Amino acid sequence: QVQLVESGGGLVQAGGSLRLSCVDSRRPFTNNAVGWFRQVPGEEREFVAAISWDGGNSHYADSVKGRFIISRSKGANMVALQMNSLKPEDTAVYYCASFIRPYYTSNVGPKYWGQGTQVTVSS
């Protein structure tokens, strides 16, 4: 059974940085694409970034390109999301999610989700 656990959220001032981490505490997701999504109360959950099983391919939402970096080491059971130049509009609950497939495609949703971690950016 998969259990994704996020960590690293918190409160930061605009322009600051945070680093989120995601691990699968029960089963390594070393062969799966992994992504980050975020959600603001009252709005739909939106895609932020995703990375292939080997770290060789990554995808980003336009709103975070050039500011966020998703990373993983091949064979490592941890995916990180480095968030730089944070803006108040980045405030949301951030969710880690793993896919059945090794590569991310926008037409296939995640199979498993974490519980989420709150990121708050103050102006």
Side-chain angles (χ1 to χ4, degrees), residues 63-119:
S63 59
V64 306
K65 277 181 182 176
R67 300 188 298 123
F68 290 12
I69 301 171
I70 189 170
S71 63
R72 73 189 302 177
S73 297
K74 185 178 178 181
N77 194 37
M78 191 273 286
V79 172
L81 183 69
Q82 178 67 40
M83 305 187 296
N84 302 318
S85 302
L86 283 162
K87 305 175 181 179
E89 51 263 44
D90 293 319
T91 296
V93 177
Y94 283 70
Y95 297 89
C96 175
S98 65
F99 298 81
I100 289 295
R101 299 179 179 179
Y103 292 94
Y104 167 75
T105 54
S106 59
N107 62 334
V108 178
K111 178 71 172 179
Y112 303 105
W113 293 91
Q115 294 299 307
T117 185
Q118 177 70 46
V119 171

Side-chain angles (χ1 to χ4, degrees), residues 40-60:
V40 175
E43 298 183 11
E44 290 189 359
R45 193 169 298 186
E46 66 173 3
F47 170 78
V48 175
I51 192 165
S52 61
W53 72 281
D54 60 354
N57 292 278
S58 57
H59 305 263
Y60 297 92

